[in-house]
Amino acid sequence: MQSLGTFDLLTPDAVLAAVEGAFGIELDGAIVPYPSYINRVFGLRTPEGGRVVAKFYRPGRWSPEAIEEEHRFITELAAAEIPVVAPIADSDGETIAELSVGNGREETEYQFALFPLRGGRNFDPESDEDWLRLGSVVGRIHAVGRLESAPHRLTCLPGSITASSVAELLEQEVVHPEVGAEFEQITAQVLDLIRPAFEGLPLQRLHGDCHRGNILDRPGEGLLVIDFDDMMNGPPVQDIWLLLPGRADESRRELALLVEGYEQFSDFDRSSLRLIEPLRFMRMLYFLAWRSRQRNDNWFRREFPDWGGKAFWIREIEDLREQALHVAHALRE
């Protein structure tokens, strides 16, 4: 995989000027950085007090076509009255703009988009009704998701997304050399085990990162689904299991309610629930690759100085081995 760019050249002044120029709005100069693992997101304000959010995509992560597919999916969901935050279009109807920044030695191009600010509180489901609501909103998203395709997005299958994550970590020599062989062995064994379980599964557009941190509650309005940056193609169960409070066998009540709510709007293949632990293993590797792409950022090195060291990788190998046992158990049932 190609090396991804950093945000070291992205200054507050460059952000403000880029947004004003691309979207034809005046800003009052206030800028609030929001937490974001892989992109950069800023809260901005107009002189009249209007609030917007600018999202700058990590250079080299997504092609323009892939970002367009994300925006198109969100726009389709909004048109279907599903609670999402659609991107703002410029005067030409475009939702993606570009910024080129240089310092005399290097130049980086950033793609960015603008969204209205929509607040809310974290949604912590407790009652049966809460879990039914969660399942229902995912079912509605998937009912729209299966209407079109997204050929430029990743596909959540072991032979594509996971194999490429493993290859990236090994080829870029991110894994500590003292545990590299062990990492390669455990990942190869589990990939060989889980590939057949995914064969022939129907795939469709998904949120891709549908954990409860991306579901907000807006009192009086209902739930709001945010952050489609990891939108992908895959089996619908991918957007179900991330909502669970624990492993599937520890969350039977919640899982049953999620599926019940989901099936009010979309059909669901219950046999795919056996893929939850394989999908958890796949996400662990995807997340490792995801973080490794940030390892050259000044911000990342400052915040995670021990990432990638020997002790870090020993812990990761232990976690992968434990998860491999859960995968084997799930596929035996």
Side-chain angles (χ1 to χ4, degrees):
M1 280 190 158
Q2 61 178 335
S3 176
L4 301 187
T6 73
F7 290 100
D8 295 342
L9 299 180
L10 189 63
T11 65
D13 286 344
V15 168
L16 293 168
V19 171
E20 287 185 328
F23 291 93
I25 63 174
E26 182 181 357
L27 301 172
D28 69 0
I31 181 168
V32 179
Y34 291 150
S36 178
Y37 281 116
I38 202 158
N39 301 304
R40 291 296 177 267
V41 182
F42 305 96
L44 309 174
R45 190 174 62 196
T46 67
E48 297 77 25
R51 295 178 182 273
V52 293
V53 175
K55 174 181 177 180
F56 284 75
Y57 293 85
R58 181 170 290 274
R61 185 178 186 222
W62 298 128
S63 67
E65 294 82 6
I67 298 176
E68 288 173 4
E69 288 175 350
E70 174 201 346
H71 288 192
R72 185 164 60 250
F73 189 24
I74 300 172
T75 302
E76 291 170 6
L77 293 172
E81 299 184 345
I82 295 170
V84 296
V85 184
I88 296 171
D90 63 18
S91 58
D92 296 322
E94 300 293 332
T95 60
I96 306 171
E98 293 185 358
L99 167 66
S100 181
V101 182
N103 61 5
R105 298 185 305 277
E106 58 179 322
E107 187 168 306
T108 304
E109 291 188 357
Y110 301 100
Q111 297 181 90
F112 65 96
L114 196 64
F115 297 83
L117 177 65
R118 300 279 303 280
R121 65 189 185 193
N122 291 335
F123 183 57
D124 189 13
E126 296 180 355
S127 68
D128 288 3
E129 181 60 31
D130 289 340
W131 288 103
L132 288 169
R133 289 171 65 197
L134 271 180
S136 296
V137 76
V138 177
R140 294 177 63 197
I141 289 171
H142 286 189
V144 174
R146 66 174 57 97
L147 297 178
E148 299 290 343
S149 62
H152 297 94
R153 304 298 295 197
L154 296 176
T155 300
C156 188
L157 291 174
S160 55
I161 193 171
T162 311
S164 64
S165 294
V166 172
E168 178 181 354
L169 291 165
L170 292 172
E171 289 169 4
Q172 297 194 8
E173 300 182 343
V174 176
V175 184
H176 193 278
E178 292 189 28
V179 296
E182 193 173 4
F183 173 82
E184 190 168 6
Q185 178 187 44
I186 186 70
T187 54
Q189 288 175 345
V190 176
L191 284 175
D192 286 345
L193 176 65
I194 67 178
R195 277 192 183 97
F198 285 80
E199 291 178 359
L201 280 179
L203 307 177
Q204 65 163 83
R205 292 182 298 177
L206 308 171
H207 181 285
D209 193 28
C210 196
H211 57 78
R212 283 175 289 161
N214 283 332
I215 312 284
L216 302 181
D217 189 16
R218 292 171 59 84
E221 296 185 29
L223 301 181
L224 179 68
V225 184
I226 62 172
D227 194 3
F228 281 75
D229 188 65
D230 271 298
M231 170 205 162
M232 59 179 62
N233 306 289
V237 67
Q238 168 65 11
D239 278 352
I240 292 289
W241 77 268
L242 283 171
L243 295 169
L244 296 174
R247 295 190 182 278
D249 58 1
E250 301 167 347
S251 312
R252 297 184 187 278
R253 164 183 162 264
E254 294 87 353
L255 181 55
L257 291 165
L258 281 172
V259 173
E260 181 182 344
Y262 183 99
E263 289 180 329
Q264 294 175 15
F265 297 93
S266 294
D267 292 334
F268 184 76
D269 178 6
R270 292 177 180 238
S271 69
S272 68
L273 294 175
R274 67 197 290 263
L275 300 179
I276 289 177
E277 295 309 329
L279 286 166
R280 194 188 307 276
F281 186 88
M282 291 164 60
R283 183 172 173 84
M284 291 168 68
L285 292 166
Y286 181 67
F287 190 76
L288 282 169
W290 192 33
R291 299 309 296 270
S292 77
R293 295 167 196 159
Q294 304 169 70
R295 68 188 185 278
N296 295 321
D297 285 11
N298 291 328
W299 165 85
F300 187 82
R301 290 198 297 267
R302 183 172 62 251
E303 294 294 320
F304 304 100
D306 298 327
W307 195 95
K310 180 180 177 181
F312 169 86
W313 278 106
I314 288 175
R315 292 193 301 271
E316 291 299 319
I317 294 295
E318 290 175 352
D319 290 344
L320 288 170
R321 284 204 174 279
E322 179 184 355
Q323 183 56 28
L325 296 176
H326 289 286
V327 169
H329 177 74
L331 294 183
R332 280 198 302 268
E333 292 186 339

